[in-house]
Amino acid sequence: MKAAEFEQLLRRFCRLLQQENKYLVNNQPDKLMPLVDEKQKYVRPFQDYEGQMTAAMQNLIRQIQALQQENLLLTRQAMGFEEMMLKSIRSNLKTPGTIYSPDSSKKASDSLSLIDWEA
């Protein structure tokens, strides 16, 4: 592979990571899976390149590394938020909460539910 082809490959990969970043920021997980498959296609050409690294290539590689770090951070943040929500829901379902009645008294709920169907 020639240096110009490799540089073009780096540019396309960088754009792919920018698209991934956009999907992560906009919370669009359904659009991420096709990108993962697309990213896998770049692994072999990146491993096989043995030519000289130009300054432009090194700059693109730094951009790619920064985007990869940011995307990883966004992914961990999203997973942490979902885990926190699930823990909160699980703990709320374990102990029945109190329901306020129209006469300003408190009573225990009859059934556990995520949604108050009586409201």
Side-chain angles (χ1 to χ4, degrees):
M1 178 182 302
K2 295 181 181 180
E5 293 171 341
F6 186 70
E7 187 175 326
Q8 193 63 14
L9 198 64
L10 287 170
R11 289 184 197 286
R12 286 196 305 260
F13 190 68
C14 193
R15 282 193 297 270
L16 188 66
L17 291 176
Q18 289 168 343
Q19 189 67 43
E20 180 183 47
N21 186 281
K22 178 182 163 189
Y23 292 152
L24 287 166
V25 168
N26 293 325
N27 194 25
Q28 298 174 314
D30 54 315
K31 295 183 179 181
L32 288 173
M33 287 312 293
L35 289 182
V36 171
D37 295 335
E38 187 69 27
K39 284 171 61 174
Q40 289 177 347
K41 295 177 186 176
Y42 288 87
V43 173
R44 178 60 83 195
F46 287 162
Q47 289 175 341
D48 292 344
Y49 182 71
E50 295 179 0
Q52 288 285 22
M53 288 289 177
T54 65
M57 287 180 198
Q58 291 174 351
N59 186 34
L60 284 167
I61 290 170
R62 280 192 290 277
Q63 289 177 16
I64 287 169
Q65 289 172 334
L67 280 167
Q68 284 282 63
Q69 287 295 324
E70 186 176 346
N71 290 351
L72 180 61
L73 179 65
L74 288 168
T75 302
R76 286 182 178 161
Q77 181 182 9
M79 289 172 57
F81 177 75
E82 288 175 14
E83 182 63 30
M84 181 196 63
M85 289 294 292
L86 289 174
K87 282 181 183 178
S88 176
I89 290 170
R90 279 191 293 255
S91 69
N92 285 338
L93 291 177
K94 284 181 185 175
T95 57
T98 55
I99 298 175
Y100 293 94
S101 65
D103 62 356
S104 300
S105 64
K106 290 193 262 183
K107 63 178 183 176
S109 64
D110 297 334
S111 64
L112 296 175
S113 177
L114 197 56
I115 301 170
D116 183 7
W117 294 102
E118 294 179 18

